[in-house]
Amino acid sequence: MIRLALLLAATTALAAPIAAEARPMTATDLQSMRRLGAPEVSPDGRIAIFSLSTTDLDKNRRNNVLHSLDLTRPGATPQPLAGAEGGHDAVFGPDGAIYFLKAVGERDQLHRLVPGQVATVLSDFGADVSGFKISPDGRHVIVWADQRDCPDLACAATTFAAPEPGSGKIYNELFVRHWDTYAEPGKRSRIYSFPLSGGKLQGMGVRLTGDLVGDTPSKPFGGGEEIAISRDGRSVFFALREAGRIEPTSTNLDIFMSPIDGSAAPVNLTDANDATDTMPTVSPDGRTLAYVAMKRPGYEADRLVIMLRDLASGRTRALTEDWDRSVGSLTWARDGKSLIVDAQDTLETPLFRVDATTGKVTRLTREGTAHNARALPNGDVLLAINSVQAPDDLYRLDRRGRLTQLTAVNRDRLAEFDPVTFEKWSFAGANNETVWGYTFKPANVSHKLPVAFIIHGGPQGSFNNSWSYRWNPRTFSAGRYAVVSVDFHGSTGFGQAFTDAIRQDWGGKPLEDLQKGWAHALAKDKQLDGDRACALGGSYGGYMTLWIAGRWPDAFKCLVTHNGIFDTRSMGYMTEELWFTEWENGGPVYEVPANYEKHNPLLHVANWKTPNLIVIGDRDYRVPYTQGLGAFTALQRRNIPSRLLRFPDENHWVLKPVNSVQWYREVHRWLDQWTGGQPTMGQ
């Protein structure tokens, strides 16, 4: 059992002052937090640059402002970067200039800023630049953008036939739609290379993927971590899943190498592995390519193991095969002797150092979620840390393991809020195995509290000690609720066997864990009012609330089902990434229909009686909105108190600031209605 008071650490120089009149944090507060982007560091390690974004609720959008931080001066504070107003995704070039993306008209384009001068626009493409990288020798820039099948980025040398009359789109294979977007036939995320001379891009750009068909970076979530440039500036490494009829059933990302001038076809470096290979990262001496790999094709949550490839000989070895954790990021230390990685571990996401020779793993941080690590020349590490207590701030980890907070970008806001407590605990779950959970609640409150029992999605995921701008425990608590969460079998951060245990058992061990965890939480904390509790979940968590409705119908006063799966059989045909349902159920629906029916919420609607708030997003193609409509129809036909919250402009997640505030407002109204919670003003 671990109990933590969620106040900024007293050992930190930038601790938040105690507010004179504290109050609960609201959904509007959550959206008003300043968000710190991933930092980048100057070659000499003296300056960090990053974006700080704020919310304009009137315009329902976020605004980026690039900032710099002097890493040599103790107590330095972030300063707006003059000349880069509205920019984002900034990096230092080897020429000392700062390169970044910024909108020109309606499209993001590449800019270059020499400190003290006016920024210049480097690109004028007919498409948004999604991202870019500068070669270490400063002679090339590679950019990626969604584009048709053109040898140059501007499609200047390509003539397309005039479209035939009619608005219909023709598809000969999947994907028809992916995550939240209908596929545009022939359009892919592609990378192009440009010579860089005199601070300007030369030519029209050369496509580096050759005749490969696929997206790089991968969609929907891939980014710059899937692309790297060799230290000599001659080669580009990129991850790509080849498209075709098998694309929606394949998790086979491979790492390819292409000459940066496009003079030869790309070579597949990981063709022998039919599972995921990604995150290519070149060692400081240029001799070794580190990347991460899974073993099992078709499984998106398999363990990611660090692989090291000698670029001269092609010999490859697994570095972390004996470490039962999945690596989330890769950064070489400046001396090339180790790699800095993050990995989930028992409700936390620490930073670790992995010896590049032996594979020995050393934990570097303790509580919270550490990420976006950047190695500094003197051996220190710049990183971001967040937790359930606060969103990201920058920290410096020195060679002795001492952690120093460098920023406090939300100090004043956090000081306004009531103190809260966060307690981790474990119990004997399914198969008598150890399962972890936590209780989060307002501090300095003596009366019994109604409970929001939140269930994470994935299903291979975790509501761990991290800050979320979507499912945020502090916002759920709102000063009047306790929050309880259980990391059931299938959760991440407890070893790969625990993660794998949910396969073909969605309604089995996970439900048993939730039942036992709920009983454990109530028994150990008498402040939790088990008679005034609601269960909430999204995605797989939404599936589980519907499974609870039929299989554990007397447990809760109400349910909230956000984009949840109502009919596992139809889901097997309707979702876009078919590997998800086919892996989880042991094959496609037509081959193993009984597997899909075994834990199908639809089959237990006759047992439903719990009031349920159903939330759907029209642009959700992972769990199509018809799943939620089906559940709502079932509730209405059975005359069970129910409500539908539909977002025409959201996907699997609620991302727009005003919509997020509305989401929490409606969720709290529902919880208050059925638990007798006392609402606060100013959601």
Side-chain angles (χ1 to χ4, degrees), residues 518-585:
W518 178 233
H520 179 86
L522 294 178
K524 76 179 303 297
D525 190 341
K526 298 305 181 182
Q527 193 176 17
L528 305 182
D529 191 342
D531 294 327
R532 294 192 298 146
C534 291
L536 312 86
S539 194
Y540 171 83
Y543 158 87
M544 181 52 72
T545 60
L546 297 176
W547 187 244
I548 285 171
R551 303 292 288 178
W552 193 18
D554 297 313
F556 300 100
K557 294 297 184 183
C558 70
L559 302 169
V560 177
T561 301
H562 178 107
N563 289 346
I565 300 167
F566 171 57
D567 179 8
T568 51
R569 177 178 283 195
S570 64
M571 173 70 177
Y573 289 112
M574 292 181 178
T575 191
E576 19 77 284
E577 292 186 341
L578 295 176
W579 67 73
F580 170 60
T581 54
E582 294 185 6
W583 175 269
E584 294 301 319
N585 292 284

Side-chain angles (χ1 to χ4, degrees), residues 126 147-148 150-160 203-205:
Q147 190 53 282
R148 292 179 289 179
C150 305
D152 61 275
L153 181 53
C155 286
T158 307
T159 301
F160 295 96
M204 304 302 295

Side-chain angles (χ1 to χ4, degrees), residues 102-280:
K102 179 181 175 180
V104 177
E106 297 181 353
R107 296 185 175 93
D108 272 351
Q109 299 296 317
L110 184 61
H111 292 63
R112 178 177 182 269
L113 174 67
V114 176
Q117 299 182 17
V118 177
T120 57
V121 182
L122 296 189
S123 65
D124 183 19
F125 306 129
D128 274 308
V129 175
S130 302
F132 70 96
K133 290 201 171 185
I134 312 294
S135 65
D137 60 6
R139 298 178 61 184
H140 286 86
V141 175
I142 60 171
V143 303
W144 52 94
D146 284 359
Q147 190 53 282
R148 292 179 289 179
D149 186 10
C150 305
D152 61 275
L153 181 53
C155 286
T158 307
T159 301
F160 295 96
E164 296 180 348
S167 61
K169 303 288 185 182
I170 302 298
Y171 298 87
N172 294 310
E173 59 190 21
L174 300 172
F175 294 112
V176 173
R177 55 186 187 177
H178 199 187
W179 186 248
D180 61 1
T181 305
Y182 271 86
E184 184 73 21
K187 183 175 284 190
R188 293 280 180 176
S189 178
R190 308 176 193 272
I191 54 175
Y192 295 83
S193 173
F194 291 83
L196 180 62
S197 178
K200 296 182 179 180
L201 301 186
Q202 307 296 317
M204 304 302 295
V206 177
R207 190 176 67 197
L208 298 184
T209 51
D211 294 329
L212 295 172
V213 179
D215 292 296
T216 184
S218 63
K219 290 189 175 182
F221 305 123
E225 76 283 353
E226 295 184 355
I227 299 174
I229 304 177
S230 64
R231 296 297 174 185
D232 61 9
R234 296 179 180 178
S235 301
V236 176
F237 305 93
F238 59 89
L240 178 142
R241 179 179 61 238
E242 292 192 63
R245 299 190 65 84
I246 66 167
E247 187 177 15
T249 63
S250 170
T251 59
N252 184 21
L253 270 72
D254 280 313
I255 295 174
F256 295 82
M257 181 176 70
S258 172
I260 201 167
D261 61 3
S263 58
V267 176
N268 190 340
L269 302 182
T270 61
D271 189 43
N273 182 27
D274 290 333
T276 292
D277 302 283
T278 188
M279 291 195 292

